[in-house]
Amino acid sequence: MDIGLVCDQCSTLSAMGTPRCTRCGASLALEDETRIGAPALRAPAPVVVETGPTPCPVCNEMIPPNHRFCGACGTRIDAVMKPRTLTPQSNEKVGRRTMFFGAMQAARAKLTLIRGDGLDGVSFTLAGDEHLAGRIDCPIAFPDDPFLSPTHANFFYRDGKLVVRDENSTNGVFVRIAGQIELPFGNRFLVGEQMLEVVQVPPTSDEAVEDGTYFFASPRRGGDLRVVQTLRGGDTGIVFGAVGGTVRIGREGNDIDFPEDPFISGHHAHLAWDGARLTLTDLTSKNGTFLRIAGERPLVHGDYVFMGQQLLRVEIV
């Protein structure tokens, strides 16, 4: 049996290694002869790869077709990914590519969901510039939480620091306080499952009406502030009028007790008013005291953010 190379032009059999056909002179090289000075071969037709999962340009996670956000880092995909065109000379392979190490470093922070049993749940990598969170059409989405607005909050970077902004949500964004903070009147805060706010008592007078008759009712207790509980649906619950300048809140043995709330510590939080400044102090409670932010607030490593029914821990990486 003869072994050799068959010419594609004239079907002449030539010995192995023969660069050109001995009859018609056509190239018999197995490789592109442009490397050895011979005339270049005609480039094969490009191969069009059908649209499929596409790697995220930030973290390289594969994104299913027609998805607007990366499920790993939250990067928004503004344009629909187009089919990629490959040629046989290309070294690129269809499917997941090797991730460049620098892409891992692009994520400066992440949010970790705290489950009901206190253990860590899913994490959301914050590798983009902005990361919307809410109930509908957001990269950080909780579609089953009825207390979240469709677009509830935005986590973004400013001057290298992570910031959270309330996107005009119905129920607000709360951040866990550390120690003592100044509390403006009218700001709501969470103690366990209780939504509370402090309002200042307006000045009143106990004077008789025009005919000299006094209005008969319960005697005044005095005090300059009231603690008001807001119930689900927007109704007002208990209203506590502080006699002095301090109010203790907890489960038992306090000025205001919520004995049936399992998330409140025995002595949970403390309010103090000195006539000029109102402060709120967390008494090293187990589950913390959360203040509703006004607009936006910078976040640091170890902060806890509460929105809807979701508790998220901030981790700066």
Side-chain angles (χ1 to χ4, degrees), residues 31 62-63 117 156 164 189 220 253 278 281 298 300-301 311:
E31 298 180 353
M62 300 306 292
I63 305 173
D117 54 9
F156 63 95
V164 61
F189 60 96
R220 296 184 181 277
L278 176 66
T281 305
V300 298
H301 181 76
L311 177 61

Side-chain angles (χ1 to χ4, degrees), residues 97-174:
R97 297 176 297 175
T98 302
M99 184 170 64
F100 179 60
F101 181 74
M104 296 177 60
Q105 311 307 315
R108 290 165 280 177
K110 69 176 182 177
L111 302 175
T112 299
L113 180 68
I114 307 302
R115 302 187 323 197
D117 54 9
L119 300 178
D120 289 354
V122 64
S123 291
F124 302 92
T125 302
L126 307 181
D129 295 326
E130 296 188 350
H131 312 84
L132 295 175
R135 194 179 74 250
I136 300 174
D137 198 22
C138 292
I140 304 176
F142 303 95
D144 297 327
D145 190 337
F147 299 105
L148 284 175
S149 296
T151 301
H152 197 102
N154 189 7
F155 295 86
F156 63 95
Y157 295 102
R158 177 188 293 146
D159 299 328
K161 297 187 179 297
L162 182 64
V163 180
V164 61
R165 180 172 62 224
D166 185 350
E167 296 292 330
N168 297 317
S169 65
T170 299
N171 294 311
V173 177
F174 295 78

Side-chain angles (χ1 to χ4, degrees), residues 17 84 144 186-187 209 300:
R84 292 176 294 153
D144 297 327
N187 269 31
V209 295
V300 298

